[in-house]
Amino acid sequence: MALRLDIPLEMARRHNLPKEMSEAEFAELDANPPAWLAQSRANRRAGTRPVWQTLTCVVCGETETVRPKKWWPDFTYMACYSHSPNDVPEPAPGTSRSEVYGVGARFIAIVDAPGGK
Ligand SMILES: [Zn+2]
């Protein structure tokens, strides 16, 4: 039951949820969750469960799957460290380019931000 409600077992026990519930009972609880359940669900949704992101090199197509970090910029391109900056597509007119290191293990993030030279 706790699994279906997406809450810890311990929480189900604390709130005296029956181990077995009928579909109707479950639907009722699901549609009208008590405050503690609604809160728990909101926390889970906003929670820190890691989301994986696949970075793809714009030059050679190499990928790396990483957990995104909060400090990452909105990057325009990803490129491996090993490529020359000349291999990366030109920045769009009216943007200025900066490079951010440390995104993933092998990538440089290329950020083209409005506000050019
Ligand atoms: Zn590459």
Side-chain angles (χ1 to χ4, degrees):
M1 197 80 272
L3 270 184
R4 279 188 69 181
L5 290 170
D6 196 23
I7 56 172
L9 265 178
E10 188 219 321
M11 182 177 281
R13 230 172 276 132
R14 188 157 6 111
H15 293 280
N16 293 318
L17 282 193
K19 276 221 176 66
E20 304 287 335
M21 286 173 88
S22 70
E23 281 302 312
E25 281 169 330
F26 177 80
E28 167 66 21
L29 191 65
D30 196 44
N32 301 300
W36 61 265
L37 179 55
Q39 184 59 49
S40 163
R41 287 177 157 184
N43 289 346
R44 291 285 282 239
R45 235 171 273 130
T48 52
R49 219 181 295 183
V51 180
W52 292 86
Q53 184 173 345
T54 301
L55 307 175
T56 306
C57 173
V58 68
V59 180
C60 69
E62 282 287 335
T63 61
E64 180 182 340
T65 303
V66 292
R67 290 168 197 250
K69 305 283 195 309
K70 279 204 185 90
W71 57 265
W72 285 8
D74 283 334
F75 42 79
T76 312
Y77 300 114
M78 278 291 154
C80 308
Y81 283 118
S82 54
H83 299 306
S84 150
N86 299 330
D87 293 335
V88 179
E90 286 288 303
T95 63
S96 66
R97 172 161 289 179
S98 52
E99 296 172 354
V100 179
Y101 293 81
V103 175
R106 54 181 299 174
F107 285 113
I108 300 174
I110 313 281
V111 183
D112 292 342
K117 300 149 192 175

